[in-house]
Amino acid sequence: MIKKLASCWRRYSQVILGGGLFLLIVLMAVFAPLIATHDPGAYAMREALQEPGPAHLCGTDAFGRDVFSRIVYGARISLTIALAVLVVCGALGTVLGLLSGYYRWAEATIMRLMDGLMAFPSILLALVILTVFGSGIQNIILALSISYLPRVVRTIRGAVISVKEYEHVEAARAMGASDARIIFKYILPLCVSPLIIRLTLIMALTVLSESSLTFLGVGLSPEIPSWGNILSEGRQYITTSPYLITLPGLAIVLAVLSLNTLGDGLRDLLDPRLK
Amino acid sequence: MLNYTVRRLISSIPVLLIVAVMVFTLIHMIPGNPAAVMLGSDATQEEVDALTQKLGLDQPVPTQLVRWFGGMLRGDMGDSIYYDRPVTQVLSERLEPTFLIVAYAILVALAIGVPLGVLAAVNHNGLLDKLCMILSMVGISCPAFWLGLNLVILFAVQRNIFPSVGYLPLAEGGLLSALYYITLPSFALGLQRSASIARVTRSSMLDVLNNDYVRTARAKGLGEFRVIAKHTLKNAMNPILTQVGMSLAQLVGGAVVIETIFNIPGLGLLAFDSLKRRDYPMIQGHILFVALAYILINLVIDLLYKVFDPRVDYH
């Protein structure tokens, strides 16, 4: 029994650790009203810039707002954006990747466009898109989805190119199956593993990029208690209240760490060739 | 190799063209007239109209695109609206700090990442391996700007060893002073990149360590250091080079956040300020420059493969 458990731990440790930590952060976001000790938007100027202590676990900011509660609510913002980018990139990237991998005519157009997008540094591309459309949650989702779309398209296309040569696909073709049936029934299921791995890592990148953009002041409006905003506001008090930088940053690190560990674990599990 | 280089350069032209069209289209979707932004809120409509006409911004977008392409073919990226000087001139003036930060950061990343990766590979599945990999995973998960701010807290606020912001150009204080000013931002970027270099080094070393010639080298009685440095690491270099290339390209583009935090007048801060000022030609020039740098860095890395592995064939 112990041997079995040990072997199971060895095999799934990264998935368990990363997935477990991520699940905790998701639960923190879902039950934020129960976990937060204060109203994240409540001003209390008399309690401004208090160091972490029993009354305020992570201290208070310049407006006396409880930093711990803002971090807890911040998880909602970061995870919502990460999840939305995952859905947009996953859906659009899968369709474009399937088309470019299966049809030569589609490859030329889609992949050149993706090459063009890849030549932009993702943070710069997101900055330009946010300048065009303005800040806000929807626009940050759009900006980051466009920035990370090429990675998903390339992943799916790579998988399709090899899968379409498999014998079962050739057999389906020989039996007169339509392209749509071949793509969705025989090719897509074999692209799911690389897609899951890629999307997990894109969620981690999204959390990082969203906090960077918001920190620069172009992501979300300052009233929203996102992790990037908490850091951005804390920057002015770096000399007197460094905890305003260290603690919200740790929340970002933990969220990204959980997703990176989960992504790595899934890769080892689903695609041992890449280990 | 020359043929390969020429072929690669020619094949990158369509990508650059796509980037150029995309940048041009995107930039012209930015709301707000740059002429109005430039003249400020006190300007009259006549003044704004006159400047709009002078800058050619009243022309249809396709006409502006053709004119811009014409200029590009002559090596002219146009004039910056804000600086009222050629874009190439402003870009070249801002290149120095970004170049130094990127070079410094990649040296930091290599100096930390490669030994860490080698140590992990040599102690495969041991405690050191696990420790190195946990460290690198944490490193990858840290936002560079947060690392930078923590370095400021530690080495500028609490200890006053390094300056927290600013830059002293080479011409004014020499190389050492310039490096002194960019130490914290470079370490912030380098520490983060070192994590991915360590992971690639480890996996590449593990692939090579299993080869027969490594066993033969050991059987011949060579010292472990020589086996690792001469026979293993050299042959494990190509994936590391690929990672360095990717890191360099990301650093050139990603300098925008770190330069803004540390108020370093490099290309990144220039891009950020130009976006705020609606300085179309400057942003277009900057993004094209970064795209070109991305393509050239990848080309140089591809050419370097042969240095470490003579079997690489460019045909």
Side-chain angles (χ1 to χ4, degrees):
Chain A
M1 180 69 183
I2 293 172
K3 255 189 180 175
K4 251 189 181 174
L5 274 176
S7 134
C8 187
W9 170 252
R10 260 199 302 278
R11 194 166 148 77
Y12 299 106
S13 60
Q14 278 189 304
V15 175
I16 295 169
L17 283 174
L21 186 55
F22 184 62
L23 187 68
L24 280 179
I25 295 169
V26 171
L27 289 175
M28 180 171 93
V30 173
F31 298 108
L34 298 175
I35 297 168
T37 50
H38 296 75
D39 176 354
Y43 290 76
M45 298 306 285
R46 283 187 182 175
E47 295 180 16
L49 298 175
Q50 283 191 7
E51 295 215 346
H56 297 281
L57 291 174
C58 297
T60 57
D61 65 9
F63 301 105
R65 292 174 297 191
D66 182 63
V67 175
F68 174 73
S69 306
R70 289 176 72 72
I71 291 174
V72 170
Y73 273 89
R76 286 188 160 189
I77 313 290
S78 288
L79 291 188
T80 306
I81 292 171
L83 201 68
V85 171
L86 175 140
V87 171
V88 176
C89 275
L92 204 59
T94 303
V95 172
L96 292 176
L98 285 170
L99 286 175
S100 61
Y102 195 77
Y103 297 109
R104 283 187 79 88
W105 57 265
E107 184 191 17
T109 323
I110 295 170
M111 291 322 290
R112 290 301 78 73
L113 201 65
M114 293 302 128
D115 284 346
L117 282 175
M118 284 287 275
F120 277 91
S122 51
I123 201 89
L124 202 57
L125 178 60
L127 259 176
V128 174
I129 295 170
L130 281 170
T131 312
V132 173
F133 295 104
S135 57
I137 290 185
Q138 285 168 340
N139 291 341
I140 207 166
I141 291 168
L142 176 79
L144 294 176
S145 299
I146 294 175
S147 300
Y148 295 129
L149 184 66
R151 298 171 194 235
V152 182
V153 176
R154 281 188 169 203
T155 304
I156 295 291
R157 176 180 162 268
V160 173
I161 285 174
S162 64
V163 171
K164 77 175 181 184
E165 303 301 327
Y166 284 5
E167 284 177 1
H168 74 281
V169 176
E170 297 227 349
R173 202 175 289 132
M175 287 170 71
S178 67
D179 281 355
R181 190 177 165 81
I182 292 173
I183 289 174
F184 290 106
K185 185 145 189 231
Y186 300 106
I187 294 179
L188 183 58
L190 293 176
C191 301
V192 171
S193 300
L195 180 67
I196 291 172
I197 298 161
R198 174 59 72 192
L199 289 179
T200 315
L201 297 174
I202 280 180
M203 271 183 92
L205 282 174
T206 303
V207 174
L208 275 179
S209 300
E210 178 267 314
S211 62
S212 303
L213 291 166
T214 310
F215 182 80
L216 284 178
V218 291
L220 301 168
S221 66
E223 306 88 60
I224 299 174
S226 77
W227 291 336
N229 268 337
I230 305 171
L231 276 167
S232 181
E233 287 164 4
R235 191 179 154 199
Q236 299 169 50
Y237 307 96
I238 193 168
T239 49
T240 53
S241 311
Y243 61 87
L244 287 175
I245 298 294
T246 315
L247 299 175
L250 273 178
I252 301 173
V253 175
L254 285 177
V256 180
L257 183 65
S258 70
L259 285 163
N260 277 336
T261 312
L262 179 64
D264 252 27
L266 287 173
R267 186 197 57 193
D268 293 349
L269 210 64
L270 300 171
D271 196 350
R273 286 168 305 166
L274 297 173
K275 195 171 184 176
Chain B
M1 194 189 272
L2 187 67
N3 273 345
Y4 174 77
T5 311
V6 172
R7 265 204 325 270
R8 278 286 301 268
L9 285 174
I10 290 172
S11 70
S12 61
I13 292 173
V15 176
L16 274 177
L17 279 176
I18 292 168
V19 172
V21 174
M22 278 162 61
V23 172
F24 195 89
T25 316
L26 259 177
I27 299 298
H28 281 77
M29 284 164 74
I30 295 177
N33 184 346
V37 174
M38 245 183 88
L39 291 170
S41 52
D42 296 337
T44 62
Q45 188 56 44
E46 285 76 34
E47 286 171 322
V48 174
D49 290 343
L51 188 60
T52 306
Q53 200 177 3
K54 186 185 160 202
L55 297 171
L57 298 169
D58 55 340
Q59 303 284 321
V61 173
T63 313
Q64 290 184 51
L65 177 65
V66 170
R67 195 193 290 172
W68 184 57
F69 264 129
M72 293 276 295
L73 290 175
R74 295 190 302 273
D76 174 17
M77 285 183 169
D79 287 350
S80 157
I81 296 174
Y82 181 80
Y83 294 99
D84 200 19
R85 281 186 291 138
V87 166
T88 41
Q89 194 187 343
V90 181
L91 280 175
S92 60
E93 285 169 8
R94 297 292 198 102
L95 190 60
E96 179 192 298
T98 305
F99 175 79
L100 284 179
I101 288 179
V102 170
Y104 196 166
I106 211 72
L107 283 177
V108 170
L110 282 169
I112 298 171
V114 172
L116 213 63
V118 170
L119 205 63
V122 172
N123 295 282
H124 184 43
N125 281 336
L127 192 66
L128 262 176
D129 181 18
K130 290 204 164 64
L131 199 68
C132 290
M133 285 306 98
I134 290 172
L135 264 178
S136 72
M137 188 58 103
V138 173
I140 287 175
S141 307
C142 287
F145 75 88
W146 182 69
L147 276 176
L149 290 171
N150 279 304
L151 290 176
V152 166
I153 293 172
L154 282 174
F155 297 105
V157 175
Q158 291 180 351
R159 286 195 175 71
N160 204 15
I161 299 173
F162 291 105
S164 57
V165 287
Y167 175 70
L168 195 64
L170 282 175
E172 287 175 32
L175 181 64
L176 282 180
S177 292
L179 293 179
Y180 173 65
Y181 270 87
I182 59 164
T183 293
L184 293 186
S186 305
F187 264 82
L189 290 170
L191 280 173
Q192 202 210 23
R193 302 310 323 167
S194 68
S196 46
I197 289 180
R199 287 161 65 86
V200 172
T201 305
R202 175 186 176 268
S203 78
S204 179
M205 284 285 292
L206 284 178
D207 281 346
V208 178
L209 274 171
N210 290 330
N211 281 332
D212 288 343
Y213 60 82
V214 176
R215 208 174 304 129
T216 310
R218 283 197 178 118
K220 274 164 57 187
L222 281 185
E224 193 60 19
F225 180 79
R226 249 189 110 153
V227 172
I228 298 297
K230 196 176 171 199
H231 293 276
T232 318
L233 189 56
K234 194 184 168 196
N235 287 301
M237 272 314 278
N238 281 357
I240 302 172
L241 268 179
T242 309
Q243 189 59 41
V244 168
M246 282 163 64
S247 294
L248 275 172
Q250 282 164 2
L251 286 174
V252 172
V256 59
V257 186
I258 214 82
E259 283 181 8
T260 308
I261 293 170
F262 285 90
N263 200 20
I264 292 169
L267 291 174
L269 188 60
L270 176 68
F272 188 62
D273 288 341
S274 302
L275 273 169
K276 282 195 291 191
R277 293 172 189 143
R278 309 287 187 263
D279 192 345
Y280 294 169
M282 202 67 245
I283 307 164
Q284 284 160 192
H286 176 273
I287 294 180
L288 265 188
F289 174 80
V290 171
L292 188 67
Y294 175 87
I295 289 167
L296 288 178
I297 287 168
N298 279 315
L299 176 64
V300 171
I301 294 290
D302 280 358
L303 295 176
L304 276 178
Y305 286 153
K306 203 173 176 69
V307 175
F308 292 99
D309 188 353
R311 290 168 302 177
V312 171
D313 184 7
Y314 289 112
H315 296 289

